[in-house]
Amino acid sequence: MSVKASAYRFVMRHFANMNPTRRPDTIGAMQHITETTFNTRLAADLELSQCKTPDGVRYELGSLRGTAPNGRLVLCFHGGAYLAGLANIYRNTAVELGRSIGAEVAFLDYDLAPEHRCPVQLEQAMALWNELTKRYAPENIVVVGDSAGGNLALAFLLKLRDGGFPMPRCGLCFSPLADTTASGSSYIENYQNDVLFGHRRGHMTDEIRNMILDSNIYAFCKGQDRNDPYISPAFADFTGFPPMFLCAGGHELLLSDTTSVAERMTAQGVKVELEIGDRMFHDYIQFHEAVPEGKEALEKAKRFVERQW
């Protein structure tokens, strides 16, 4: 592990940990991290426009200064447990993916939990898709999502498939929240290792699992059937999905969310590229500007996207 990755792990464990047994105000914690740590300097050559669909769904549309449009688009669904809004760390990752194929970028600015719960965000994603595909061909769109945005990206692709809509060129999910029942093995095995959601001196018990599941980290699906594939895509049938790139940290609670999705996709005939960062933390790819392991993962994601054309 690089020195910078170790430093980030230290900072996250001691100043950004959102385990509800240590920090009950998960909404405030997530919003604070988003407004500080995640609001890095925006890519200097990105030009952004604030937009709305005809029915009022907010989104951003961006292009790289000096790059002529080529009809390609990266559509980004950001993370933040559905509790916090867009931040530059998400914008910059999508920009780098777009830069590799000369694409423009779009960011859904979805309504946040706990005031707005699923399927609100999925409905907004569909409304944005209907608007964007007036201008961009579906086969020229790349869909990317991280953490909660990975949950939304997978549910969105399911919705497209189930509705008989044309699928995008490919999809990328970074540390997706895919199992809202927290039933995977990594919730036990990585509880002491996860610097954001775990506890270094604790052990995952049924009581702690229930406390986590009842916390605002899962506010977006409170009171709903968590075995529903649109809420827990880990339980979905992925037949008919486009090629997918999945990435997760080896020391995160959500590791088994990613690996179980990859296994199901592979068994159901989907082309999958899986990247697991050794001892890395949740969503580490987003820290590519500072952490070498994140940069390496992003370079692999960029090459994956490039190969789709």
Side-chain angles (χ1 to χ4, degrees):
M1 182 187 301
S2 68
V3 172
K4 288 187 176 180
S6 295
Y8 267 79
R9 282 178 55 89
F10 177 86
V11 170
M12 289 179 181
R13 184 182 293 280
H14 293 281
F15 301 103
N17 184 277
M18 286 176 285
N19 185 297
T21 67
R22 299 181 60 188
R23 198 167 184 179
D25 182 17
T26 48
I27 297 177
M30 181 59 73
Q31 292 177 346
H32 175 72
I33 292 170
T34 300
E35 293 166 3
T36 55
T37 306
F38 290 177
N39 254 336
T40 55
R41 182 176 298 179
L42 187 65
D45 56 349
L46 176 63
E47 297 178 339
L48 276 177
S49 299
Q50 305 296 321
C51 309
K52 286 186 179 180
T53 66
D55 48 357
V57 174
R58 301 181 307 277
Y59 69 100
E60 297 177 351
L61 191 61
S63 60
L64 296 175
R65 193 176 299 113
T67 301
N70 62 5
R72 297 175 182 175
L73 179 74
V74 173
L75 172 57
C76 176
F77 301 135
H78 69 85
Y82 289 107
L83 299 173
L86 271 166
N88 289 343
I89 197 169
Y90 307 122
R91 295 183 179 101
N92 289 346
T93 299
V95 164
E96 290 307 310
L97 292 171
R99 193 188 305 279
S100 67
I101 54 171
E104 294 174 281
V105 290
F107 305 91
L108 173 62
D109 187 12
Y110 54 73
D111 290 337
L112 302 177
E115 293 80 9
H116 303 277
R117 296 174 178 163
C118 61
V120 169
Q121 296 82 7
L122 179 55
E123 292 169 350
Q124 292 176 334
M126 291 300 297
L128 178 54
W129 178 260
N130 291 335
E131 180 68 13
L132 292 174
T133 50
K134 296 175 183 177
R135 177 175 173 181
Y136 304 91
E139 64 269 20
N140 284 333
I141 300 177
V142 174
V143 172
V144 57
D146 72 289
S147 195
N151 173 281
L152 181 55
L154 291 170
F156 170 72
L157 292 172
L158 282 173
K159 193 74 171 179
L160 290 180
R161 194 273 316 274
D162 291 348
F165 295 96
M167 299 295 272
R169 174 74 65 158
C170 62
L172 300 92
C173 290
F174 310 139
S175 298
L177 173 57
D179 175 10
T180 61
T181 70
S183 59
S185 60
S186 61
Y187 287 86
I188 297 173
E189 296 164 357
N190 276 341
Y191 187 67
Q192 293 184 348
N193 296 325
D194 191 303
V195 294
L196 275 177
F197 303 109
H199 196 308
R200 183 171 55 181
R201 295 185 178 89
H203 297 277
M204 178 65 79
T205 63
D206 289 342
E207 180 182 1
I208 290 176
R209 187 192 306 272
N210 290 333
M211 185 180 297
I212 293 173
L213 291 174
D214 289 340
S215 74
N216 278 318
I217 294 172
Y218 294 90
F220 77 99
C221 62
K222 191 172 184 179
Q224 303 196 40
D225 179 7
R226 297 194 184 189
N227 291 302
D228 183 341
Y230 284 110
I231 296 174
S232 289
F235 306 137
D237 179 347
F238 297 107
T239 303
F241 264 46
M244 299 292 298
F245 180 93
L246 305 176
C247 177
H251 271 184
E252 64 169 299
L253 286 184
L254 272 63
L255 173 61
S256 54
D257 290 40
T258 298
T259 55
S260 64
V261 167
E263 290 168 3
R264 288 178 70 91
M265 286 183 171
T266 300
Q268 292 160 359
V270 180
K271 294 181 180 179
V272 179
E273 190 167 318
L274 177 62
E275 177 69 14
I276 304 298
D278 182 38
R279 294 183 292 166
M280 286 294 102
F281 44 85
H282 178 70
D283 218 1
Y284 74 100
I285 195 171
Q286 299 287 3
F287 297 86
H288 56 88
E289 294 177 339
V291 176
E293 292 89 342
K295 183 177 181 179
E296 180 182 354
L298 180 61
E299 290 301 317
K300 292 180 179 179
K302 289 164 64 175
R303 290 196 293 271
F304 167 83
V305 171
E306 292 166 359
R307 288 196 301 271
Q308 306 312 309
W309 270 271

